Amino acid sequence: MRNLNAETITDAVLERQKNTPSPRLKVIMTSLVQHLHDFAREVKLTEAEWTQGIEFLTRVGHITDDKRQEFILLSDVLGLSMLTVAMNNDKPAQCTEATVFGPFHVDGAPHFELGADISCGARGIPCVVRGTVRGLNGEPIAGASLDVWQSDEDGLYDVQHPDGEARARGILHSDAEGRYDFKSILAVPYAIPHDGPVGDLLKAMGRHPWRPAHLHFMVQAPGYQTLVTHVFRSDDPYLDSDAVFGVRQSLIADWKRQDDGSYVVEYDFVLNPAPDSQ
C-alpha cells in the first residue's frame, strides 16, 4: 500500500473498503470510487479545479437551510433527480407519470375542504383546478389525499416570503366519486433560485434558470403507489427547456381562460396499485 500512483490508487481504495458490512453500501461505494477516479483521470483534474469543486459544494451546504435546499436544486439542474425518478417509477402506460419533487414541499400543509380557495392571499389571477383520481382499471378512488403547492404570480413560493405563511398550498381529499376541485391562482413560469452556487453554475454553462408554469401534486391513497408529479401549462415557452428536465408530454394541460378573466384547468390522475395490493 505504499508508492501508490494515479493508476494503482483506485484498487488500493477498493481493497481498503472491501469489508463494508452492508452489501448495498459496498456496491454503491465501489462504483462511486471507480467512477470518481475514472472521471478525474479522464478530465485530468488539476488540484486547483479539485479545490474549486470542494469550495462549490461547501457553498451549496452553507446556503442550504430549512427554507432552501440547494443540494436538491443542484441534483435537479444536473438531471440526476429526473434520472432517479425515471428509474424508480416504471408504471403501466395508463398511469400518470411522476416527475421531480422539487425543493419547496412543506410537511404539514393546511387542510381544506373541496371547493375551497387555497391561495390564501397569494398574488395571482384566480384559477379553478378540478379533475378525478382513479385507479388503473378506471375505479374512482375516494378519499385520496392531494397535497398541492405552487408559486405566486411573482414566481415565489410562500416559503420564500419573509412571513412564511402558508399560501397557494394545501391538502384536500377526493370525494366518493374520486373527484376533486379547488380554487387557487394561475400557474406562471418562474426562475429557480439562482442567486447562489447553483445559479453561478448555470450561468457558467450558458443555461437559463427558468421552469415552465406548473402545479405540484403529491397524490396518496391506501393500496396505491404515491404519485409525485406536476401539471404543466400547455402555452408555456419553457416546456422544451425546463431547467430541471421535469416536463413530460402526458403532464401538459390546457388552462382555459373564462369570460371573467379567471382560468380553469382540468386534470385526471391515474394511480398505480401498490405491489402488495395486486
Side-chain angles (χ1 to χ4, degrees), residues 233-248:
R233 269 180 63 184
S234 60
D235 59 348
D236 193 279
Y238 296 106
L239 287 173
D240 293 317
S241 62
D242 181 9
V244 308
F245 307 96
V247 178
R248 295 292 179 268

Side-chain angles (χ1 to χ4, degrees), residues 43-184:
V43 302
K44 296 180 172 56
L45 192 68
T46 69
E47 291 177 83
E49 290 165 341
W50 175 83
T51 299
Q52 280 185 302
I54 295 297
E55 291 172 346
F56 172 79
L57 291 176
T58 300
R59 290 176 59 211
V60 171
H62 284 168
I63 203 172
T64 297
D65 57 24
D66 60 344
K67 294 185 177 180
R68 176 167 180 161
Q69 233 304 351
E70 196 80 357
F71 278 108
I72 290 180
L73 284 179
L74 178 59
S75 174
D76 288 349
V77 303
L78 294 179
L80 182 58
S81 297
M82 270 310 302
L83 173 58
T84 57
V85 168
M87 290 191 301
N88 290 280
N89 286 273
D90 186 19
K91 306 175 190 176
Q94 307 97 301
C95 292
T96 304
E97 291 187 272
T99 189
V100 291
F101 193 51
F104 296 115
H105 178 262
V106 174
D107 291 328
H111 287 252
F112 293 91
E113 296 295 325
L114 291 177
D117 185 351
I118 73 168
S119 65
C120 297
R123 288 164 48 85
I125 298 172
C127 179
V128 170
V129 184
R130 61 193 181 208
T132 61
V133 183
R134 297 187 177 276
L136 189 57
N137 297 316
E139 70 277 14
I141 302 177
S145 169
L146 295 100
D147 192 341
V148 187
W149 64 104
Q150 70 173 108
S151 72
D152 59 23
E153 70 176 10
D154 298 316
L156 297 174
Y157 288 81
D158 51 6
V159 295
Q160 295 176 281
H161 288 286
D163 61 19
E165 292 191 17
R167 298 188 182 95
R169 103 168 45 241
I171 299 173
L172 309 101
H173 292 84
S174 59
D175 68 14
E177 300 300 321
R179 297 171 300 196
Y180 73 89
D181 71 287
F182 61 90
K183 301 179 183 69
S184 190

Side-chain angles (χ1 to χ4, degrees), residues 247-265:
V247 178
R248 295 292 179 268
Q249 183 62 41
S250 66
L251 302 178
I252 298 173
D254 292 330
W255 262 252
K256 298 177 181 178
R257 193 174 188 274
Q258 307 301 293
D259 292 340
D260 63 359
S262 67
Y263 284 79
V264 172
V265 60

